[in-house]
Amino acid sequence: MIYPKIPLAQTVVQLCKAKGVKHVIISPGSRNAPLTIGFTNDKYFKCYSIVDERCAGFFALGMAQQINAPTAIVCTSGSALLNYYPAVAEAYYSNIPLLVLSADRPEHLIGIGDGQTINQKNVYGHHVLLSANLRLDEQSQFETVLEEQKGIQAHNEQCINEAINVALFKQGPVHLNIPFDEPLYERVEALSVAPKAINLTVTPKQVEDHVLESCIKDWNAATKKMILVGANQPNEIEQKWLNEISEDNSVIVLTETTSNIHHPSFFSSIDQLIAPLTEDDQEDFCPDILLSFGGLIVSKKIKQLLRRYKPKQHWHVNPKMAYDTFFSLNKHLELSPNQFFKAFLPQVIHQDASGYKKKWTKIKRWRQKQHECYLKEIPFSDFKVFSKVLRSIPQDYILQSGNSSTIRYTQLFPMNKTLEVFCNRGTSGIDGSTATAIGCAVVRNKPTVLITGDLSFLYDSNALWNDHIPDDFRIIVINNQGGGIFRILPGPKNTKNFDTYFETTHSLTAAQLCEMYGLKYKAVSTEETLLKALDTFYVNNGKPKLLEVFTPKSINDEVLLNYFQYIK
Protein backbone atom coordinates (compact mmCIF):
# COMPACT_ATOMS: atom_id res chain seq x y z
CA MET A 1 0.00 0.00 0.00
CA ILE A 2 1.16 3.56 -0.72
CA TYR A 3 1.40 6.21 2.01
CA PRO A 4 2.63 9.80 2.11
CA LYS A 5 6.12 9.96 3.59
CA ILE A 6 5.28 12.87 5.94
CA PRO A 7 4.31 11.52 9.41
CA LEU A 8 1.76 14.30 9.99
CA ALA A 9 -0.14 13.37 6.82
CA GLN A 10 -0.08 9.70 7.86
CA THR A 11 -1.44 10.66 11.28
CA VAL A 12 -4.35 12.67 9.87
CA VAL A 13 -5.37 9.97 7.42
CA GLN A 14 -5.05 7.08 9.88
CA LEU A 15 -7.07 8.82 12.59
CA CYS A 16 -9.80 9.75 10.11
CA LYS A 17 -9.98 6.08 9.20
CA ALA A 18 -9.96 4.89 12.81
CA LYS A 19 -12.78 7.29 13.74
CA GLY A 20 -15.04 6.45 10.79
CA VAL A 21 -14.58 9.48 8.54
CA LYS A 22 -15.28 7.78 5.23
CA HIS A 23 -16.24 10.47 2.68
CA VAL A 24 -13.45 12.84 1.66
CA ILE A 25 -13.91 15.70 -0.80
CA ILE A 26 -10.60 16.89 -2.24
CA SER A 27 -9.98 20.10 -4.15
CA PRO A 28 -6.79 19.92 -6.23
CA GLY A 29 -3.65 21.66 -5.06
CA SER A 30 0.00 21.14 -4.29
CA ARG A 31 0.35 21.89 -0.58
CA ASN A 32 -2.36 19.33 0.27
CA ALA A 33 -0.65 16.63 -1.85
CA PRO A 34 0.43 14.55 1.20
CA LEU A 35 -3.20 14.28 2.33
CA THR A 36 -4.41 13.55 -1.20
CA ILE A 37 -1.86 10.76 -1.53
CA GLY A 38 -2.94 9.29 1.81
CA PHE A 39 -6.70 9.38 1.27
CA THR A 40 -6.79 8.30 -2.37
CA ASN A 41 -4.50 5.31 -1.90
CA ASP A 42 -6.59 3.79 0.89
CA LYS A 43 -9.63 1.88 -0.38
CA TYR A 44 -11.45 2.53 2.89
CA PHE A 45 -12.13 6.13 1.85
CA LYS A 46 -14.62 7.30 -0.76
CA CYS A 47 -12.86 10.25 -2.37
CA TYR A 48 -14.43 12.89 -4.60
CA SER A 49 -12.60 15.51 -6.65
CA ILE A 50 -14.29 18.93 -6.82
CA VAL A 51 -12.32 21.90 -8.10
CA ASP A 52 -14.41 24.77 -6.71
CA GLU A 53 -13.89 24.82 -2.94
CA ARG A 54 -17.15 26.67 -2.28
CA CYS A 55 -19.07 23.93 -4.08
CA ALA A 56 -16.93 21.25 -2.45
CA GLY A 57 -17.88 22.60 0.98
CA PHE A 58 -21.60 22.44 0.26
CA PHE A 59 -21.26 19.07 -1.48
CA ALA A 60 -19.71 17.73 1.73
CA LEU A 61 -22.38 19.45 3.80
CA GLY A 62 -25.10 17.67 1.79
CA MET A 63 -23.43 14.35 2.52
CA ALA A 64 -22.98 15.03 6.23
CA GLN A 65 -26.58 16.27 6.43
CA GLN A 66 -27.72 12.81 5.35
CA ILE A 67 -25.30 10.46 7.14
CA ASN A 68 -25.08 12.46 10.41
CA ALA A 69 -21.36 11.86 10.55
CA PRO A 70 -18.32 14.04 9.79
CA THR A 71 -17.42 14.46 6.13
CA ALA A 72 -13.91 15.74 5.38
CA ILE A 73 -12.99 18.52 2.96
CA VAL A 74 -9.35 18.85 1.94
CA CYS A 75 -7.79 21.91 0.30
CA THR A 76 -4.48 23.56 -0.43
CA SER A 77 -3.17 26.72 1.25
CA GLY A 78 -4.10 30.30 0.51
CA SER A 79 -7.55 31.51 -0.52
CA ALA A 80 -8.81 27.95 -1.03
CA LEU A 81 -10.05 27.51 2.52
CA LEU A 82 -11.75 30.92 2.47
CA ASN A 83 -14.06 29.53 -0.21
CA TYR A 84 -15.23 26.91 2.29
CA TYR A 85 -16.52 29.64 4.61
CA PRO A 86 -20.18 29.80 3.42
CA ALA A 87 -20.56 26.04 3.89
CA VAL A 88 -18.77 26.17 7.25
CA ALA A 89 -21.15 28.86 8.49
CA GLU A 90 -24.16 26.90 7.25
CA ALA A 91 -22.88 23.76 9.00
CA TYR A 92 -22.37 25.73 12.22
CA TYR A 93 -25.93 27.07 12.34
CA SER A 94 -27.52 23.88 11.00
CA ASN A 95 -25.59 21.55 13.36
CA ILE A 96 -23.96 19.53 10.60
CA PRO A 97 -20.57 17.83 11.21
CA LEU A 98 -17.85 18.98 8.80
CA LEU A 99 -14.13 18.29 9.13
CA VAL A 100 -12.10 21.00 7.38
CA LEU A 101 -8.54 19.91 6.62
CA SER A 102 -6.59 22.86 5.24
CA ALA A 103 -2.97 22.43 4.20
CA ASP A 104 -0.65 25.30 5.13
CA ARG A 105 2.92 26.38 4.57
CA PRO A 106 5.43 26.20 7.43
CA GLU A 107 5.22 29.15 9.83
CA HIS A 108 8.51 30.67 8.65
CA LEU A 109 7.00 31.17 5.17
CA ILE A 110 3.92 33.04 6.44
CA GLY A 111 3.91 36.83 6.27
CA ILE A 112 7.09 37.19 4.18
CA GLY A 113 5.42 37.74 0.80
CA ASP A 114 5.57 34.12 -0.31
CA GLY A 115 2.91 33.06 -2.82
CA GLN A 116 -0.39 31.44 -1.88
CA THR A 117 -0.11 32.29 1.81
CA ILE A 118 -2.64 33.90 4.12
CA ASN A 119 -3.12 33.83 7.89
CA GLN A 120 -4.93 30.49 8.13
CA LYS A 121 -4.91 29.98 11.88
CA ASN A 122 -8.40 30.37 13.38
CA VAL A 123 -9.63 31.76 10.06
CA TYR A 124 -13.24 30.67 10.69
CA GLY A 125 -13.47 32.50 14.01
CA HIS A 126 -16.69 31.81 15.89
CA HIS A 127 -18.19 29.72 13.09
CA VAL A 128 -16.49 26.46 14.09
CA LEU A 129 -16.81 24.40 17.26
CA LEU A 130 -13.05 23.83 17.38
CA SER A 131 -10.04 25.17 15.54
CA ALA A 132 -6.60 23.61 15.96
CA ASN A 133 -3.23 24.28 14.38
CA LEU A 134 -1.16 21.15 14.02
CA ARG A 135 2.60 21.26 14.35
CA LEU A 136 5.15 20.69 11.61
CA ASP A 137 7.15 17.46 11.81
CA GLU A 138 10.83 17.72 12.70
CA GLN A 139 12.83 15.99 9.97
CA SER A 140 16.29 15.84 11.52
CA GLN A 141 17.53 12.56 13.03
CA PHE A 142 19.47 14.13 15.94
CA GLU A 143 18.49 12.55 19.26
CA THR A 144 17.29 15.81 20.79
CA VAL A 145 15.15 16.50 17.72
CA LEU A 146 13.72 13.00 17.78
CA GLU A 147 12.62 13.59 21.38
CA GLU A 148 10.95 16.84 20.34
CA GLN A 149 9.20 15.00 17.51
CA LYS A 150 7.55 12.71 20.09
CA GLY A 151 5.98 15.79 21.68
CA ILE A 152 4.89 17.08 18.28
CA GLN A 153 3.32 13.72 17.42
CA ALA A 154 1.46 13.59 20.75
CA HIS A 155 0.16 17.14 20.25
CA ASN A 156 -1.07 16.39 16.73
CA GLU A 157 -2.77 13.13 17.71
CA GLN A 158 -4.57 14.86 20.58
CA CYS A 159 -5.81 17.71 18.36
CA ILE A 160 -7.03 15.41 15.57
CA ASN A 161 -8.84 13.09 17.99
CA GLU A 162 -10.48 16.00 19.76
CA ALA A 163 -11.58 17.68 16.52
CA ILE A 164 -13.29 14.59 15.10
CA ASN A 165 -14.91 13.81 18.46
CA VAL A 166 -16.29 17.34 18.70
CA ALA A 167 -17.62 17.29 15.13
CA LEU A 168 -19.38 14.00 15.77
CA PHE A 169 -20.80 14.48 19.25
CA LYS A 170 -21.48 18.21 19.17
CA GLN A 171 -22.66 18.12 15.54
CA GLY A 172 -20.92 20.99 13.81
CA PRO A 173 -17.86 22.05 11.80
CA VAL A 174 -14.27 21.84 13.06
CA HIS A 175 -11.05 23.04 11.44
CA LEU A 176 -7.59 21.47 11.44
CA ASN A 177 -4.87 23.64 9.90
CA ILE A 178 -2.04 21.38 8.77
CA PRO A 179 1.45 22.70 7.85
CA PHE A 180 3.57 20.75 5.39
CA ASP A 181 7.13 21.47 4.25
CA GLU A 182 8.56 20.36 0.93
CA PRO A 183 9.11 17.80 -0.53
CA LEU A 184 5.35 17.12 -0.67
CA TYR A 185 5.01 14.21 -3.09
CA GLU A 186 7.30 11.56 -1.57
CA ARG A 187 5.68 8.19 -0.94
CA VAL A 188 6.52 5.16 1.14
CA GLU A 189 5.17 1.62 1.41
CA ALA A 190 5.06 1.42 5.21
CA LEU A 191 3.70 3.69 7.94
CA SER A 192 6.20 5.40 10.21
CA VAL A 193 3.64 6.30 12.90
CA ALA A 194 0.86 4.40 14.65
CA PRO A 195 -1.54 7.05 16.03
CA LYS A 196 -4.06 6.00 18.67
CA ALA A 197 -7.75 6.79 18.37
CA ILE A 198 -9.22 8.33 21.53
CA ASN A 199 -12.88 7.51 21.98
CA LEU A 200 -15.22 9.93 23.71
CA THR A 201 -17.75 8.77 26.28
CA VAL A 202 -20.87 10.92 26.35
CA THR A 203 -23.33 10.71 29.22
CA PRO A 204 -26.81 11.89 28.20
CA LYS A 205 -28.11 14.79 30.29
CA GLN A 206 -31.15 14.35 32.46
CA VAL A 207 -33.71 17.02 33.25
CA GLU A 208 -33.58 17.94 36.93
CA ASP A 209 -36.62 16.88 38.94
CA HIS A 210 -37.54 20.37 40.11
CA VAL A 211 -37.34 21.72 36.53
CA LEU A 212 -39.54 18.91 35.21
CA GLU A 213 -42.05 19.39 38.03
CA SER A 214 -42.22 23.11 37.30
CA CYS A 215 -42.82 22.48 33.60
CA ILE A 216 -45.59 19.96 34.29
CA LYS A 217 -47.32 22.27 36.79
CA ASP A 218 -47.28 25.27 34.45
CA TRP A 219 -48.28 23.21 31.40
CA ASN A 220 -51.26 21.63 33.15
CA ALA A 221 -52.44 25.05 34.36
CA ALA A 222 -52.29 26.71 30.94
CA THR A 223 -55.28 26.58 28.56
CA LYS A 224 -53.40 27.71 25.44
CA LYS A 225 -50.21 25.87 24.53
CA MET A 226 -48.34 26.00 21.25
CA ILE A 227 -45.60 23.70 19.99
CA LEU A 228 -43.51 25.18 17.17
CA VAL A 229 -41.29 22.76 15.26
CA GLY A 230 -38.31 23.82 13.12
CA ALA A 231 -36.07 21.62 10.97
CA ASN A 232 -35.64 17.96 11.97
CA GLN A 233 -34.21 14.84 10.43
CA PRO A 234 -36.91 12.48 9.09
CA ASN A 235 -38.25 10.09 11.74
CA GLU A 236 -36.25 11.89 14.42
CA ILE A 237 -39.26 12.24 16.74
CA GLU A 238 -40.98 9.06 17.90
CA GLN A 239 -44.49 8.89 16.46
CA LYS A 240 -46.00 7.85 19.80
CA TRP A 241 -45.12 11.24 21.27
CA LEU A 242 -46.69 13.04 18.32
CA ASN A 243 -49.84 10.96 18.72
CA GLU A 244 -49.95 11.76 22.42
CA ILE A 245 -49.63 15.50 21.80
CA SER A 246 -52.37 15.41 19.17
CA GLU A 247 -54.94 14.23 21.72
CA ASP A 248 -54.72 17.40 23.85
CA ASN A 249 -57.26 20.03 22.77
CA SER A 250 -55.36 22.80 24.56
CA VAL A 251 -52.30 22.30 22.31
CA ILE A 252 -51.77 23.36 18.73
CA VAL A 253 -48.69 22.15 16.86
CA LEU A 254 -47.21 24.31 14.11
CA THR A 255 -44.86 22.44 11.80
CA GLU A 256 -42.63 23.73 9.04
CA THR A 257 -41.99 21.85 5.80
CA THR A 258 -38.44 21.14 6.98
CA SER A 259 -39.68 19.66 10.28
CA ASN A 260 -40.39 16.31 8.56
CA ILE A 261 -43.22 15.82 11.04
CA HIS A 262 -46.75 14.88 9.97
CA HIS A 263 -50.06 14.45 11.73
CA PRO A 264 -53.58 15.26 10.48
CA SER A 265 -54.27 17.51 13.46
CA PHE A 266 -51.09 19.57 13.14
CA PHE A 267 -50.88 22.94 11.36
CA SER A 268 -48.42 22.51 8.50
CA SER A 269 -48.85 25.79 6.58
CA ILE A 270 -48.11 28.45 9.17
CA ASP A 271 -48.25 31.51 6.93
CA GLN A 272 -51.46 30.29 5.35
CA LEU A 273 -53.02 30.14 8.81
CA ILE A 274 -51.81 33.39 10.36
CA ALA A 275 -51.13 35.88 7.55
CA PRO A 276 -54.78 36.99 7.18
CA LEU A 277 -55.41 37.39 10.94
CA THR A 278 -56.69 40.63 12.43
CA GLU A 279 -54.86 42.13 15.41
CA ASP A 280 -57.47 40.75 17.79
CA ASP A 281 -57.14 37.28 16.28
CA GLN A 282 -53.34 37.47 16.45
CA GLU A 283 -53.48 38.24 20.16
CA ASP A 284 -55.97 35.44 20.74
CA PHE A 285 -53.78 33.03 18.74
CA CYS A 286 -50.69 33.57 20.88
CA PRO A 287 -50.23 30.95 23.60
CA ASP A 288 -49.59 31.08 27.32
CA ILE A 289 -46.71 28.63 26.83
CA LEU A 290 -44.65 28.20 23.67
CA LEU A 291 -42.63 24.98 23.43
CA SER A 292 -40.19 24.86 20.52
CA PHE A 293 -37.73 22.33 19.20
CA GLY A 294 -35.87 21.62 15.97
CA GLY A 295 -33.75 23.95 13.86
CA LEU A 296 -34.23 27.54 12.76
CA ILE A 297 -37.68 28.78 11.76
CA VAL A 298 -38.44 29.78 8.15
CA SER A 299 -41.74 31.60 8.68
CA LYS A 300 -41.11 35.30 9.15
CA LYS A 301 -44.78 35.83 9.94
CA ILE A 302 -44.79 33.58 13.01
CA LYS A 303 -41.62 35.26 14.27
CA GLN A 304 -43.18 38.70 13.91
CA LEU A 305 -46.40 37.60 15.59
CA LEU A 306 -44.74 35.92 18.59
CA ARG A 307 -42.40 38.86 19.08
CA ARG A 308 -45.33 41.26 19.14
CA TYR A 309 -47.61 39.13 21.33
CA LYS A 310 -45.09 37.34 23.48
CA PRO A 311 -46.03 34.09 25.19
CA LYS A 312 -45.86 34.17 28.98
CA GLN A 313 -43.29 31.40 28.79
CA HIS A 314 -41.06 30.05 26.03
CA TRP A 315 -39.28 26.72 26.49
CA HIS A 316 -36.81 25.41 23.93
CA VAL A 317 -35.81 21.75 23.86
CA ASN A 318 -32.35 21.20 22.38
CA PRO A 319 -29.29 19.41 23.76
CA LYS A 320 -26.94 22.03 22.29
CA MET A 321 -28.32 25.57 22.13
CA ALA A 322 -31.39 27.73 22.50
CA TYR A 323 -31.98 30.95 20.58
CA ASP A 324 -34.18 33.61 22.13
CA THR A 325 -35.94 34.06 18.79
CA PHE A 326 -39.08 35.64 20.25
CA PHE A 327 -37.40 37.56 23.09
CA SER A 328 -39.29 35.56 25.70
CA LEU A 329 -37.11 32.48 26.32
CA ASN A 330 -37.07 31.45 29.98
CA LYS A 331 -36.25 27.72 29.84
CA HIS A 332 -33.59 25.87 27.87
CA LEU A 333 -34.17 22.14 28.32
CA GLU A 334 -30.85 20.57 27.28
CA LEU A 335 -32.30 17.28 26.07
CA SER A 336 -33.35 15.72 22.82
CA PRO A 337 -37.08 16.10 22.15
CA ASN A 338 -37.56 12.34 22.62
CA GLN A 339 -35.85 12.46 26.02
CA PHE A 340 -37.96 15.40 27.11
CA PHE A 341 -41.27 13.97 25.90
CA LYS A 342 -40.52 10.63 27.55
CA ALA A 343 -40.14 12.33 30.93
CA PHE A 344 -42.80 15.00 30.41
CA LEU A 345 -45.82 13.71 28.49
CA PRO A 346 -46.80 10.78 30.77
CA GLN A 347 -47.43 13.34 33.54
CA VAL A 348 -49.38 15.83 31.45
CA ILE A 349 -53.16 16.20 31.90
CA HIS A 350 -55.12 16.65 28.67
CA GLN A 351 -57.57 19.52 28.68
CA ASP A 352 -60.38 18.26 26.50
CA ALA A 353 -62.66 21.21 27.30
CA SER A 354 -60.26 23.82 25.97
CA GLY A 355 -61.54 25.49 22.81
CA TYR A 356 -58.08 26.63 21.65
CA LYS A 357 -57.29 23.85 19.21
CA LYS A 358 -60.92 23.53 18.06
CA LYS A 359 -61.12 27.20 17.05
CA TRP A 360 -57.92 27.19 15.03
CA THR A 361 -58.66 23.84 13.42
CA LYS A 362 -61.89 25.32 12.07
CA ILE A 363 -59.96 28.29 10.66
CA LYS A 364 -57.33 25.95 9.17
CA ARG A 365 -59.99 24.00 7.29
CA TRP A 366 -61.48 27.20 5.90
CA ARG A 367 -58.05 28.35 4.74
CA GLN A 368 -57.43 25.02 3.03
CA LYS A 369 -60.78 25.19 1.23
CA GLN A 370 -60.08 28.75 0.05
CA HIS A 371 -56.56 27.72 -0.98
CA GLU A 372 -57.95 25.17 -3.43
CA CYS A 373 -60.48 27.67 -4.79
CA TYR A 374 -57.77 30.25 -5.35
CA LEU A 375 -55.64 27.82 -7.34
CA LYS A 376 -58.50 27.39 -9.82
CA GLU A 377 -58.77 31.15 -10.40
CA ILE A 378 -55.17 32.30 -10.83
CA PRO A 379 -53.17 32.48 -14.08
CA PHE A 380 -49.92 30.67 -14.77
CA SER A 381 -47.46 32.02 -12.18
CA ASP A 382 -44.95 30.96 -9.54
CA PHE A 383 -47.80 30.09 -7.18
CA LYS A 384 -49.50 27.78 -9.68
CA VAL A 385 -46.16 26.21 -10.69
CA PHE A 386 -45.37 25.25 -7.10
CA SER A 387 -48.81 23.67 -6.68
CA LYS A 388 -48.23 21.45 -9.73
CA VAL A 389 -44.58 20.67 -9.09
CA LEU A 390 -44.98 19.67 -5.44
CA ARG A 391 -47.87 17.36 -6.29
CA SER A 392 -45.82 15.72 -9.04
CA ILE A 393 -42.97 14.45 -6.84
CA PRO A 394 -43.15 10.65 -6.57
CA GLN A 395 -43.39 8.79 -3.29
CA ASP A 396 -40.29 8.40 -1.12
CA TYR A 397 -38.19 11.09 -2.81
CA ILE A 398 -35.81 13.47 -1.08
CA LEU A 399 -36.78 17.09 -1.69
CA GLN A 400 -34.02 19.67 -1.42
CA SER A 401 -35.39 23.21 -1.48
CA GLY A 402 -33.56 26.35 -2.48
CA ASN A 403 -33.81 29.39 -0.25
CA SER A 404 -35.56 32.72 -0.55
CA SER A 405 -38.95 32.51 -2.30
CA THR A 406 -38.58 28.77 -3.05
CA ILE A 407 -38.85 27.54 0.52
CA ARG A 408 -41.49 30.17 1.33
CA TYR A 409 -43.75 29.03 -1.51
CA THR A 410 -43.16 25.40 -0.55
CA GLN A 411 -44.40 26.12 2.98
CA LEU A 412 -47.83 27.15 1.64
CA PHE A 413 -48.68 23.72 0.24
CA PRO A 414 -49.47 20.34 1.83
CA MET A 415 -46.47 18.05 1.73
CA ASN A 416 -46.48 14.37 0.81
CA LYS A 417 -45.52 12.70 4.09
CA THR A 418 -43.33 10.13 2.32
CA LEU A 419 -40.93 12.86 1.21
CA GLU A 420 -37.84 13.88 3.18
CA VAL A 421 -37.41 17.65 3.03
CA PHE A 422 -34.21 19.66 3.51
CA CYS A 423 -33.13 23.26 3.06
CA ASN A 424 -30.02 25.20 4.07
CA ARG A 425 -31.70 27.36 6.68
CA GLY A 426 -28.71 27.80 8.99
CA THR A 427 -27.66 30.99 7.22
CA SER A 428 -30.50 30.95 4.64
CA GLY A 429 -28.15 31.79 1.77
CA ILE A 430 -28.82 31.08 -1.90
CA ASP A 431 -25.20 30.15 -2.52
CA GLY A 432 -24.94 26.37 -2.11
CA SER A 433 -28.34 24.74 -2.62
CA THR A 434 -27.39 22.83 -5.79
CA ALA A 435 -24.09 21.52 -4.41
CA THR A 436 -25.82 20.47 -1.16
CA ALA A 437 -28.51 18.60 -3.07
CA ILE A 438 -25.94 16.76 -5.20
CA GLY A 439 -23.93 15.77 -2.12
CA CYS A 440 -27.14 14.48 -0.56
CA ALA A 441 -28.02 12.49 -3.69
CA VAL A 442 -24.58 10.86 -3.87
CA VAL A 443 -24.79 9.22 -0.42
CA ARG A 444 -28.46 8.22 -0.39
CA ASN A 445 -30.17 5.32 -2.10
CA LYS A 446 -33.26 7.46 -2.68
CA PRO A 447 -33.73 9.73 -5.70
CA THR A 448 -33.38 13.45 -4.99
CA VAL A 449 -35.10 16.45 -6.57
CA LEU A 450 -33.96 20.04 -6.08
CA ILE A 451 -36.43 22.90 -6.52
CA THR A 452 -34.65 26.22 -6.80
CA GLY A 453 -34.89 29.74 -8.19
CA ASP A 454 -33.03 31.06 -11.19
CA LEU A 455 -30.61 33.32 -9.30
CA SER A 456 -29.73 30.61 -6.79
CA PHE A 457 -29.16 28.07 -9.57
CA LEU A 458 -27.01 30.39 -11.68
CA TYR A 459 -25.03 31.51 -8.63
CA ASP A 460 -24.21 27.89 -7.77
CA SER A 461 -23.78 26.57 -11.32
CA ASN A 462 -20.24 25.31 -10.60
CA ALA A 463 -21.95 22.66 -8.47
CA LEU A 464 -22.59 20.77 -11.73
CA TRP A 465 -18.85 20.69 -12.44
CA ASN A 466 -18.14 17.16 -11.18
CA ASP A 467 -18.48 13.55 -12.24
CA HIS A 468 -20.58 12.40 -9.29
CA ILE A 469 -24.15 13.43 -10.16
CA PRO A 470 -26.47 10.37 -10.05
CA ASP A 471 -28.60 9.58 -13.11
CA ASP A 472 -31.82 9.90 -11.09
CA PHE A 473 -30.97 13.40 -9.78
CA ARG A 474 -33.53 16.04 -10.81
CA ILE A 475 -33.49 19.85 -10.77
CA ILE A 476 -36.50 22.11 -11.25
CA VAL A 477 -35.56 25.76 -11.81
CA ILE A 478 -38.33 28.33 -11.42
CA ASN A 479 -37.07 31.10 -13.70
CA ASN A 480 -38.88 34.40 -13.14
CA GLN A 481 -35.94 36.35 -14.62
CA GLY A 482 -34.64 37.76 -11.36
CA GLY A 483 -34.92 37.83 -7.59
CA GLY A 484 -38.71 37.55 -7.35
CA ILE A 485 -38.62 37.68 -3.54
CA PHE A 486 -37.82 41.41 -3.72
CA ARG A 487 -41.11 42.11 -5.51
CA ILE A 488 -42.96 40.68 -2.52
CA LEU A 489 -41.08 42.75 0.05
CA PRO A 490 -42.05 46.38 0.79
CA GLY A 491 -40.35 49.05 -1.32
CA PRO A 492 -40.47 50.72 -4.74
CA LYS A 493 -40.77 48.48 -7.79
CA ASN A 494 -40.65 48.77 -11.59
CA THR A 495 -37.84 51.30 -11.64
CA LYS A 496 -34.44 50.98 -13.29
CA ASN A 497 -32.76 51.07 -9.88
CA PHE A 498 -34.98 48.25 -8.57
CA ASP A 499 -34.60 46.10 -11.70
CA THR A 500 -30.79 46.40 -11.67
CA TYR A 501 -29.82 46.38 -8.00
CA PHE A 502 -32.59 44.50 -6.20
CA GLU A 503 -34.39 42.14 -8.54
CA THR A 504 -31.32 41.78 -10.79
CA THR A 505 -33.32 41.25 -13.98
CA HIS A 506 -31.69 38.93 -16.53
CA SER A 507 -32.47 36.86 -19.62
CA LEU A 508 -30.20 33.89 -18.87
CA THR A 509 -31.29 30.25 -19.05
CA ALA A 510 -29.90 26.92 -17.93
CA ALA A 511 -29.83 25.45 -21.43
CA GLN A 512 -26.13 25.93 -22.22
CA LEU A 513 -25.06 24.84 -18.74
CA CYS A 514 -26.97 21.58 -19.15
CA GLU A 515 -25.37 20.97 -22.51
CA MET A 516 -21.90 21.61 -21.09
CA TYR A 517 -22.37 19.41 -18.01
CA GLY A 518 -24.35 16.60 -19.63
CA LEU A 519 -27.82 17.08 -18.12
CA LYS A 520 -30.98 16.47 -20.08
CA TYR A 521 -32.74 19.82 -20.44
CA LYS A 522 -36.38 20.81 -20.93
CA ALA A 523 -37.97 24.29 -20.86
CA VAL A 524 -41.67 25.09 -20.36
CA SER A 525 -43.65 28.31 -20.00
CA THR A 526 -47.32 27.28 -19.77
CA GLU A 527 -49.40 25.12 -17.49
CA GLU A 528 -50.09 22.65 -20.28
CA THR A 529 -46.43 22.16 -21.22
CA LEU A 530 -45.46 21.96 -17.54
CA LEU A 531 -47.90 19.12 -16.84
CA LYS A 532 -46.77 17.28 -19.95
CA ALA A 533 -43.10 17.61 -18.99
CA LEU A 534 -43.74 16.43 -15.42
CA ASP A 535 -45.35 13.22 -16.73
CA THR A 536 -41.96 11.86 -17.80
CA PHE A 537 -39.58 14.02 -15.79
CA TYR A 538 -38.89 11.51 -13.04
CA VAL A 539 -38.40 8.51 -15.37
CA ASN A 540 -34.76 7.41 -15.23
CA ASN A 541 -33.34 7.59 -18.76
CA GLY A 542 -29.70 7.25 -17.70
CA LYS A 543 -29.06 10.99 -17.27
CA PRO A 544 -29.74 13.63 -14.62
CA LYS A 545 -32.44 16.05 -15.77
CA LEU A 546 -33.23 19.73 -15.40
CA LEU A 547 -36.65 21.25 -16.01
CA GLU A 548 -36.67 25.04 -16.36
CA VAL A 549 -40.06 26.66 -15.79
CA PHE A 550 -40.39 30.24 -17.04
CA THR A 551 -43.01 32.34 -15.26
CA PRO A 552 -44.19 35.91 -15.92
CA LYS A 553 -42.34 38.03 -13.35
CA SER A 554 -44.79 40.94 -13.65
CA ILE A 555 -47.68 39.11 -11.95
CA ASN A 556 -46.02 36.71 -9.48
CA ASP A 557 -45.96 39.16 -6.56
CA GLU A 558 -49.56 40.23 -7.15
CA VAL A 559 -50.78 36.62 -7.24
CA LEU A 560 -49.04 35.81 -3.96
CA LEU A 561 -50.09 38.94 -2.08
CA ASN A 562 -53.72 38.55 -3.23
CA TYR A 563 -53.67 34.98 -1.96
CA PHE A 564 -53.52 35.98 1.70
CA GLN A 565 -56.47 38.32 1.27
CA TYR A 566 -58.47 35.70 -0.64
CA ILE A 567 -58.14 32.95 1.98
CA LYS A 568 -59.20 35.30 4.76
Side-chain angles (χ1 to χ4, degrees), residues 364-388:
K364 178 183 79 168
R365 288 171 181 162
W366 171 257
R367 300 272 196 265
Q368 291 170 338
K369 181 181 177 182
Q370 292 298 94
H371 173 93
E372 293 302 322
C373 291
Y374 190 71
L375 283 171
K376 295 175 183 177
E377 295 187 9
I378 59 175
F380 189 72
S381 57
D382 283 355
F383 199 101
K384 178 152 280 190
V385 167
F386 274 92
S387 73
K388 302 301 181 184

Side-chain angles (χ1 to χ4, degrees), residues 92-113:
Y92 180 80
Y93 288 106
S94 289
N95 302 315
I96 295 175
L98 274 187
L99 175 60
V100 181
L101 304 175
S102 62
D104 200 357
R105 278 163 163 69
E107 193 166 355
H108 69 274
L109 294 179
I110 306 299
I112 64 164

Side-chain angles (χ1 to χ4, degrees), residues 192-263:
S192 60
V193 291
K196 294 180 181 179
I198 302 171
N199 295 320
L200 185 65
T201 303
V202 178
T203 303
K205 290 187 177 181
Q206 301 292 328
V207 62
E208 296 180 1
D209 288 342
H210 73 278
V211 174
L212 181 62
E213 290 169 6
S214 173
C215 288
I216 293 166
K217 179 182 177 182
D218 291 345
W219 188 267
N220 286 337
T223 57
K224 297 195 303 181
K225 282 97 72 172
M226 178 187 294
I227 297 177
L228 178 59
V229 190
N232 287 285
Q233 289 285 332
N235 304 311
E236 186 173 347
I237 311 301
E238 292 183 40
Q239 190 63 40
K240 65 179 179 180
W241 303 132
L242 303 178
N243 294 339
E244 177 74 16
I245 291 166
S246 72
E247 294 176 4
D248 192 334
N249 286 327
S250 65
V251 180
I252 63 174
V253 181
L254 306 182
T255 63
E256 297 219 298
T257 301
T258 53
S259 72
N260 289 295
I261 283 177
H262 303 276
H263 194 281

